[in-house]
Amino acid sequence: IFPVPASNKITIESEYNMTLSDIVIINTLGQTFYPFFKQSGNRTDVDVSGLSSGCYFLKINSDGKVFTKKFVK
């Protein structure tokens, strides 16, 4: 996931082509946000322009697996 800290978007990159069934952003208070994303092969751009500055967790459900990564905006 890059860039960190994020400004308007973050990019998720994988060695494999991702099939994303769900992307959720969760703040430190447990509130969830469902961002817009654009996928192209092994790269996905996630729009975070509407989020306030702070720490967030990106939860990705892909092919039956769940990945959680922390990022700062």
Side-chain angles (χ1 to χ4, degrees), residues 8-40:
N8 293 322
K9 73 174 184 175
I10 55 175
T11 299
I12 305 165
E13 214 167 66
S14 171
E15 296 176 17
Y16 309 100
N17 288 342
M18 294 183 288
T19 303
L20 299 175
S21 59
D22 198 19
I23 297 177
V24 178
I25 295 176
I26 304 166
N27 67 11
T28 55
L29 299 175
Q31 297 170 311
T32 57
F33 304 89
Y34 298 91
F36 294 105
F37 62 93
K38 180 180 177 185
Q39 186 174 9
S40 174

Side-chain angles (χ1 to χ4, degrees), residues 37-73:
F37 62 93
K38 180 180 177 185
Q39 186 174 9
S40 174
N42 66 343
R43 185 180 179 132
T44 302
D45 292 328
V46 180
D47 181 4
V48 296
S49 60
L51 299 177
S52 300
S53 297
C55 293
Y56 293 89
F57 297 94
L58 181 68
K59 182 178 174 183
I60 305 165
N61 294 313
S62 179
D63 295 330
K65 298 176 184 174
V66 178
F67 304 92
T68 304
K69 295 286 186 179
K70 181 180 175 182
F71 72 94
V72 177
K73 177 169 190 279

